[in-house]
Amino acid sequence: MIHLERKTYSQLGTITAPYVHAVKHKDTLYVSGLTAFGSAAQGGDVARQAEEIFRQLKVIAAAENTTLSALIKVTIFITVVESLPALREVLFANFEDHLPASSLVQVSALFSPDLNVEIEAILALD
C-alpha cells in the first residue's frame, strides 16, 4: 500500500480550499502551488510576490529539516512574461548554487487578478 502523508503548515495560515500545502511520499515532498495571496505582497510586482513565495518555501523546508538546496524541481506560472528579468533575479538569489530543474509557464490569469506568479516545488527529504 502506498503511504502518502498530507501536510499543512500552520505558519502559512489556514487552508479553506480542497488541498493541502504538501504531500510527502517516501523521501520526496510535493509542494502545492504557492502564491502571495493574503500577504502584504499580494498586488505587488512579480519580484515582491516571488520573494513572498520563497519565504513560504523556506518555512516549509525548515519544518521538514531541510533548506532550499534540496529543491529538485520548480514549476513557475507567470501572467506577464515581460516580468521575467525581475523574476530571474529573485530565483538566482534564492537558489544560490543549488539550481533545480525548472519549468516556466505563461498563463492568462491566476485565481485572483492581483496575483501574477505561482510556484510549485518538489523537494528531496532525508
Side-chain angles (χ1 to χ4, degrees):
M1 175 177 233
I2 296 175
H3 176 72
L4 300 177
E5 186 178 349
R6 297 166 202 300
K7 306 191 81 147
T8 57
Y9 303 90
S10 59
Q11 308 94 311
L12 300 183
T14 303
I15 296 176
T16 59
Y19 72 96
V20 293
H21 288 126
V23 175
K24 181 179 177 184
H25 178 249
K26 297 182 181 179
D27 294 333
T28 306
L29 188 71
Y30 300 86
V31 180
S32 294
L34 300 173
T35 69
F37 189 76
S39 74
Q42 183 175 348
D45 64 18
V46 71
R48 186 165 180 217
Q49 289 188 25
E51 286 292 359
E52 169 57 24
I53 293 166
F54 276 98
R55 183 197 68 77
Q56 295 172 36
L57 280 172
K58 289 173 184 173
V59 165
I60 292 170
E64 299 297 332
N65 298 311
T66 192
T67 66
L68 294 187
S69 67
L71 278 170
I72 296 170
K73 182 177 189 304
V74 295
T75 303
I76 304 167
F77 303 92
I78 60 172
T79 58
V80 180
V81 76
E82 291 79 16
S83 63
L84 192 53
L87 176 62
R88 283 186 174 149
E89 287 184 30
V90 175
L91 297 176
F92 278 120
N94 283 278
F95 294 153
E96 298 176 346
D97 292 331
H98 309 284
L99 299 176
S102 179
S103 296
L104 177 68
V105 181
Q106 183 180 13
V107 295
S108 61
L110 294 170
F111 73 91
S112 180
D114 52 359
L115 295 175
N116 50 35
V117 62
E118 180 171 337
I119 301 175
E120 297 176 347
I122 301 171
L123 290 103
L125 303 176
D126 290 329

